[in-house]
Amino acid sequence: MLLDTYGRVATDLRVSLTDRCNLRCTYCMPEEGLRWLAKPELLTDDEIVRLVTIAVTRLGVTEVRFTGGEPLLRPGLVGIVERCAALRPRPSISLTTNGIGLARTADALRDAGLDRVNVSLDTLRPEVFHRLTRRNRHHDVIAGLDAARAAGLAPVKINSVLMRGVNDDEAPDLLAWALEHRYELRFIEQMPLDAQHGWQREDMVTAEEILRSLGERFALTPERSDERGSAPAERWLVDGGPARVGVIASVTRPFCRACDRTRLTADGQVRNCLFAREESDLRTALREGASDEEMVRLWQAAMWGKKAGSGLDDPTFLQPQRPMSAIGG
């Protein structure tokens, strides 16, 4: 198992398949993009499947989430999903995506064994989408959401980040729209993971502000605490349920004590925390012929050193050197 010194056990693996993205979200990267990883630096499809296999069959991982950058840009994605879905015990398999390209791949991903998707959508207004992402692809995201729902990749979850002065007035409208289309909406506080290191705490729209805005239109009832488990989202029943809305308050309400995640970057580094400034190299050992047992020990050592918390509340907090697109959200 992947145990740390605080007694937490990691059972949820986040795998970044690429650092590339076809959007340029202002809270993630600059307009000109970044220096992408060269192909030899990236894990191959076989290397990804081997590491996932070790995690599932030797280390107790039960959930695998493929992320990016934008994972739909990975040419071998469908094959990777299919091979991971064939593992025994079978992990639950999900995908976090911006939704562009999902309209043409949702059925193939379902057939390969993908269970569900999380799609990023921060606004219902195409002009605001362009302002946030610097691309005119709002209609593609909506089409991707429709395709995911039609393919049965349920529950289809939407992740929304609110930016002050840009889309911070849209929370109630986003929730009403999500309820109408049977999507599960989760708001995420903007986190200090942008490549520009321009994040400012005072500019962040907080969970309290989001809930206050939603409360002007909807009756929200907190979900029972025993239903949350290790999930990052606090959830509320909307108008008595059964529909729910979630808020991931990574900054103002850290949930580190219940964290059960381990992360693998596209270039084969283990991150034991999203906000860690250190990584542990698995790729080199993999390519030098390390046995599965050796890989197990390296991964366990990486997780054993996990800190008690993210450090976001510490005035001396420093952002990770690598941004969200390289880490895998």
Side-chain angles (χ1 to χ4, degrees):
M1 71 174 57
L2 293 171
L3 179 69
D4 67 36
T5 56
Y6 297 92
R8 296 168 297 194
V9 178
T11 58
D12 184 337
L13 170 61
R14 303 298 169 101
V15 182
S16 173
L17 297 179
T18 178
D19 61 330
R20 295 174 183 263
C21 190
N22 41 16
L23 297 179
R24 297 292 182 269
C25 295
T26 57
Y27 51 77
C28 186
M29 68 174 71
E31 186 171 5
E32 65 274 15
L34 302 168
R35 185 191 72 80
W36 308 123
L37 292 167
K39 188 173 182 180
E41 296 178 71
L42 296 172
L43 293 176
T44 66
D45 292 2
D46 287 344
E47 289 170 337
I48 290 170
V49 173
R50 183 182 171 199
L51 288 174
V52 172
T53 300
I54 290 170
V56 170
T57 63
R58 304 288 296 276
L59 290 169
V61 163
T62 59
E63 299 178 53
V64 178
R65 170 87 61 89
F66 293 113
T67 71
E70 173 44 53
L72 292 179
L73 295 178
R74 177 88 186 201
L77 172 61
V78 171
I80 291 171
V81 169
E82 185 173 31
R83 294 167 68 183
C84 292
L87 294 174
R88 295 295 179 270
R90 186 197 189 282
S92 65
I93 302 175
S94 58
L95 181 79
T96 293
T97 171
N98 63 26
I100 297 173
L102 193 55
R104 65 175 181 272
T105 55
D107 287 344
L109 287 167
R110 176 205 60 209
D111 293 344
L114 188 70
D115 295 309
R116 64 173 189 82
V117 293
N118 285 37
V119 179
S120 298
L121 179 65
D122 302 324
T123 178
L124 300 175
R125 306 191 296 247
E127 68 279 7
V128 176
F129 184 90
H130 181 266
R131 182 179 173 186
L132 282 167
T133 68
R134 306 180 178 105
R135 297 292 187 271
N136 287 312
R137 307 298 298 270
H138 188 263
H139 60 287
D140 291 316
V141 180
I142 301 301
L145 280 163
D146 289 342
R149 183 182 59 201
L153 296 172
V156 177
K157 296 183 179 181
I158 295 176
N159 295 337
S160 296
V161 176
L162 299 182
M163 301 289 287
R164 199 172 300 285
V166 181
N167 64 335
D168 54 341
D169 61 333
E170 286 199 66
D173 290 339
L174 280 163
L175 179 52
W177 185 84
L179 294 174
E180 177 186 353
H181 291 84
R182 304 189 309 281
Y183 302 134
E184 185 175 322
L185 178 63
R186 305 188 308 172
F187 292 98
I188 304 176
E189 289 182 336
Q190 183 198 0
M191 294 179 284
L193 293 169
D194 59 303
Q196 311 92 298
H197 285 202
W199 179 89
Q200 297 292 330
R201 189 179 299 269
E202 57 271 19
D203 293 337
M204 180 190 66
V205 181
T206 67
E208 287 299 333
E209 292 176 278
I210 294 167
L211 292 169
R212 188 162 55 246
S213 176
L214 294 176
E216 294 174 359
R217 192 183 305 183
F218 303 95
L220 302 181
T221 306
E223 187 179 57
R224 295 199 322 268
S225 58
D226 61 341
E227 292 186 49
R228 182 181 181 186
S230 60
E234 295 179 76
R235 299 196 303 177
W236 285 261
L237 294 172
V238 181
D239 292 338
R244 290 171 167 84
V245 64
V247 178
I248 299 178
S250 302
V251 179
T252 62
R253 300 179 184 175
F255 39 86
C256 302
R257 284 185 295 180
C259 181
D260 65 349
R261 296 181 180 180
T262 183
R263 300 175 184 276
L264 184 65
T265 67
D267 54 349
Q269 310 299 305
V270 169
R271 296 182 63 85
N272 57 31
C273 175
L274 186 59
F275 299 101
R277 292 179 60 80
E278 306 83 24
E279 298 175 335
S280 300
D281 183 12
L282 294 188
R283 184 188 64 193
T284 298
L286 197 66
R287 293 180 178 179
E288 289 180 349
S291 66
D292 284 1
E293 188 56 45
E294 289 171 315
M295 299 304 298
V296 163
R297 288 196 294 268
L298 287 172
W299 207 329
Q300 288 175 326
M303 295 306 296
W304 183 252
K306 185 172 182 173
K307 296 178 179 177
S310 63
L312 280 169
D313 293 332
D314 189 330
T316 64
F317 172 80
L318 295 174
Q319 290 187 218
Q321 294 176 334
R322 297 217 282 178
M324 176 75 81
S325 59
I327 295 170

